[in-house]
Amino acid sequence: MKAKYIPAILWALFILIATNNYNFTALLANDINFNVRLFPNLSDLLITSDIHLDSKLYVFQKTGHALSFGILYLLMNQALKERHVAFALCSMFAFFTEFLQLFFERSGRLVDVLIDIAGIYVAYWLSEYVKIHGGIVPAFFVATEKLANVLKDDKSH
């Protein structure tokens, strides 16, 4: 195996552990444990009644979903140098992790797959923006300049 794949593989393993640990809050306390369910209800993937945008923990978890898969995309893209392949692989991995959660007494949801893919999509476009502007530093200065102009225009009203 080539060393360039190691960061992406390690990050994917981290995601697997985090998403299949028996309890998210326990994971934050370094309590790693897995509860296996051999015959889950696959229709649980379609549940949307547990979306709680008013819960800080829920929003924190879903932000973590998007960030985790965005980082995975960046690592995968760096290793493969094929942005569309990296995007497809990360998206399939997002579905796989949600499906797998059903077997670990976790709540695998298709909504979470969409959140994961949104994180991948943002990372994809962020990497394209950086590439177009010739690197992270130039892209940062271009973005800062654009933001300053927007704020300046906003103050003039």
Side-chain angles (χ1 to χ4, degrees), residues 17-18 23 35 43 47 50-51 59 62 69 71 74 81 84 88 104 110 121 127 141 145 155 157:
I17 290 169
N23 183 311
N35 297 334
S43 67
I47 293 173
D50 57 356
I51 297 173
V59 172
K62 301 316 165 189
F69 280 87
I71 291 168
L74 294 173
K81 304 291 187 208
H84 294 98
F104 285 90
L110 288 179
Y121 187 75
S127 66
F141 283 113
E145 184 178 317
K155 285 182 180 178
H157 288 99

Side-chain angles (χ1 to χ4, degrees), residues 5-19:
Y5 299 114
I6 292 173
I9 291 169
L10 289 175
W11 191 252
L13 286 173
F14 167 77
I15 290 172
L16 279 174
I17 290 169
T19 58

Side-chain angles (χ1 to χ4, degrees), residues 101-112:
Q101 282 184 53
L102 298 174
F103 293 88
F104 285 90
E105 295 186 5
R106 292 288 307 270
S107 56
R109 303 286 188 259
L110 288 179
V111 170
D112 288 349

Side-chain angles (χ1 to χ4, degrees), residues 11-32:
W11 191 252
L13 286 173
F14 167 77
I15 290 172
L16 279 174
I17 290 169
T19 58
N20 292 305
N21 194 52
Y22 80 98
N23 183 311
F24 175 73
T25 51
L27 180 66
L28 294 176
N30 295 321
D31 183 9
I32 298 175

